Amino acid sequence: MIEKNVLHLHRITLYRRGPAQHFMKKTLFLFLLLIMAAVTPASLSAQNSGRRVQVAGIAFYNWENLFDTIPNNPEGRDYEFTPNGTRKWDGRKYWDKVGNLAYAISQFATKTTPIGPAIIGVSEIENRSVMEDVVNQPDLKKWNLQIVHHDSPDARGVDVGLLYNPRYFKLENVTNHRLSAVPFRTRDQMCVVGSLMGQRVAVIVNHWPSRLGGQEQSEPNRVAAAELAKSIADSLWRVDPNMGVIIMGDLNDDPMDKSCAKIIGGQRKPDGVAAHGFYNPWWDILESGVGTLAYKGSWNLFDQIIVSGNLVNPTDESKWKFYEAKVLNFPFLFATEGTLQGSPKRSFSAGSYLGGYSDHFPTEIFLRRYVTK
């Protein structure tokens, strides 16, 4: 099996007997590296310990109103994003944005995750079709990302969704949960359960109600959304107490707000987080001045990935363990001029088309585990 080959890859040494043999062995080495990067999870040799480390990335990205150009909503919710709508949303603008998003996601690849994250949650998508257009772009098609989507009752016509790489994640089931405790139609919460390279995990993808009307006035809506997400997690643990649970999404709240800190219970530090509690790694990142969206010159970090305690303090090193969180604020995602300079380069500002990516930066966490030879 290729997995076994990975275990022994670091043992390959170059011939020292002559230029020809040296070249042939080096060529074989590079060839094997390329094959491994294409078909296996990233693995790193642990220092002379007889173990290797597997790494998995799990990301989230708000796609900022990715609507198609077809006015097919009977209630007219998508009219703004049509050729005759206020944004003059035509094929050129649509395909520019699709290409931009695909390129941005292609840059999620790292040395330890060379073909990108295992899982990517997304929000602000109109339908499955727009997700298909993104993953079929040349920058992403080689990853063979699979799609999970569900039509929500949201008043604006946007949904959440999930992409996954079937080499790393095997889908088991999907359930969708209605947020009925608010006085308007909003996004359902999507719970995706599957096997992350042999270990069972659940990802709950969210896009909580906005701050329209002010943070304080709208907070009860996000508290209700947090209560729903927490209840989904609790129901998962009643069935499988060992399941790792990840709550992700555009939460429209920061880590220290009531919904995240009190209702979800996302702790600021990983030490002592109970197996069925949650660790929120974004507190310190936001406090350092790094966020995912800017409002009136200040950063917020709404795009969070919150991790259950059994993925933070696992019972043994062969289980997935959280080790890093990043805001993927690549330089090309920043606006470089105008009033939005220094913030995410979005598609529109004050009605003018900017040709950007999103008004949110993506985020990603990394899990790792040791695999014994």
Side-chain angles (χ1 to χ4, degrees):
M1 295 174 62
I2 292 175
E3 283 289 315
K4 292 182 179 179
N5 289 338
V6 175
L7 293 175
H8 300 289
L9 182 60
H10 66 283
R11 294 181 178 176
I12 297 176
T13 56
L14 302 181
Y15 283 122
R16 302 178 185 275
R17 293 178 294 177
Q21 294 93 334
H22 182 92
F23 176 79
M24 291 177 62
K25 194 66 175 180
K26 184 176 181 180
T27 301
L28 175 61
F29 176 76
L30 293 174
F31 177 69
L32 287 172
L33 276 178
L34 289 171
I35 292 177
M36 245 63 74
V39 299
T40 67
S43 302
L44 304 173
S45 297
Q47 297 176 352
N48 299 321
S49 63
R51 300 180 299 176
R52 63 183 171 90
V53 179
Q54 285 184 325
V55 178
I58 299 174
F60 175 79
Y61 197 7
N62 180 321
W63 286 1
E64 190 207 10
N65 295 321
L66 184 58
F67 286 84
D68 61 27
T69 63
I70 304 168
N72 57 357
N73 191 300
E75 300 177 29
R77 292 181 296 183
D78 66 344
Y79 184 75
E80 178 182 6
F81 287 92
T82 61
N84 295 322
T86 55
R87 296 183 186 259
K88 305 299 181 185
W89 190 243
D90 57 17
R92 179 185 66 82
K93 293 175 183 175
Y94 173 74
W95 288 108
D96 280 351
K97 186 174 178 76
V98 165
N100 284 348
L101 290 170
Y103 173 75
I105 294 168
S106 74
Q107 301 306 296
F108 293 9
T110 70
K111 290 182 179 179
T112 55
T113 56
I115 52 174
I119 296 167
I120 306 170
V122 299
S123 68
E124 292 201 21
I125 51 173
E126 183 182 14
N127 50 41
R128 182 186 179 93
S129 176
V130 299
M131 297 179 71
E132 291 173 348
D133 286 342
V134 171
V135 301
N136 285 322
Q137 290 295 294
D139 286 321
L140 286 184
K141 192 173 180 63
K142 58 184 177 293
W143 287 6
N144 190 33
L145 293 172
Q146 304 299 297
I147 294 171
V148 182
H149 173 261
H150 160 75
D151 284 314
S152 287
D154 179 71
R156 288 204 308 118
V158 293
D159 306 324
V160 299
L162 184 133
L163 306 173
Y164 67 93
N165 190 320
R167 301 177 185 183
Y168 303 155
F169 184 77
K170 305 301 181 187
L171 181 67
E172 291 184 14
N173 64 72
V174 182
T175 55
N176 296 283
H177 303 262
R178 189 66 41 89
L179 181 58
S180 56
V182 296
F184 50 83
R185 294 172 299 166
T186 188
R187 283 75 61 176
D188 290 343
Q189 296 182 15
M190 174 184 288
C191 179
V192 180
V193 176
S195 173
L196 181 61
M197 292 182 246
Q199 183 175 331
R200 207 159 183 241
V201 299
V203 179
I204 306 171
V205 189
N206 298 260
H207 185 183
W208 291 355
S210 75
R211 293 188 171 192
L212 185 65
Q215 179 182 2
E216 183 176 349
Q217 181 177 342
S218 61
E219 183 178 61
N221 299 324
R222 291 183 298 282
V223 166
E227 289 171 343
L228 176 59
K230 184 65 167 58
S231 71
I232 296 169
D234 290 340
S235 67
L236 291 167
W237 283 322
R238 283 193 289 271
V239 175
D240 183 356
N242 297 317
M243 186 183 299
V245 177
I246 296 167
I247 297 174
M248 66 158 59
D250 176 357
L251 307 185
N252 273 303
D253 266 338
D254 286 319
M256 67 288 300
D257 289 325
K258 180 179 178 180
S259 58
C260 301
K262 301 295 184 183
I263 306 303
I264 298 295
Q267 296 186 33
R268 184 169 185 168
K269 301 298 180 184
D271 298 339
V273 178
H276 292 174
F278 285 97
Y279 168 57
N280 191 331
W282 307 100
W283 287 71
D284 291 339
I285 293 174
L286 178 58
E287 190 170 275
S288 73
V290 176
T292 57
L293 72 159
Y295 180 68
K296 294 184 177 179
S298 299
W299 285 101
N300 292 101
L301 210 161
F302 291 171
D303 304 84
Q304 300 174 49
I305 305 172
I306 305 173
V307 189
S308 63
N310 53 8
L311 293 174
V312 177
N313 301 304
T315 54
D316 65 75
E317 291 184 333
S318 68
K319 302 298 184 181
W320 288 117
K321 177 182 175 66
F322 168 88
Y323 83 96
E324 188 175 21
K326 288 184 176 181
V327 174
L328 303 181
N329 51 359
F330 305 120
F332 65 86
L333 292 178
F334 281 87
T336 57
E337 57 187 17
T339 58
L340 296 176
Q341 185 175 359
S343 63
K345 185 177 182 180
R346 56 201 305 167
S347 295
F348 287 89
S349 176
S352 297
Y353 177 64
L354 303 181
Y357 298 80
S358 172
D359 56 349
H360 292 241
F361 290 138
T363 51
E364 185 169 7
I365 65 166
F366 295 89
L367 307 177
R368 67 181 177 186
R369 64 183 178 185
Y370 288 100
V371 181
T372 305
K373 290 183 179 180

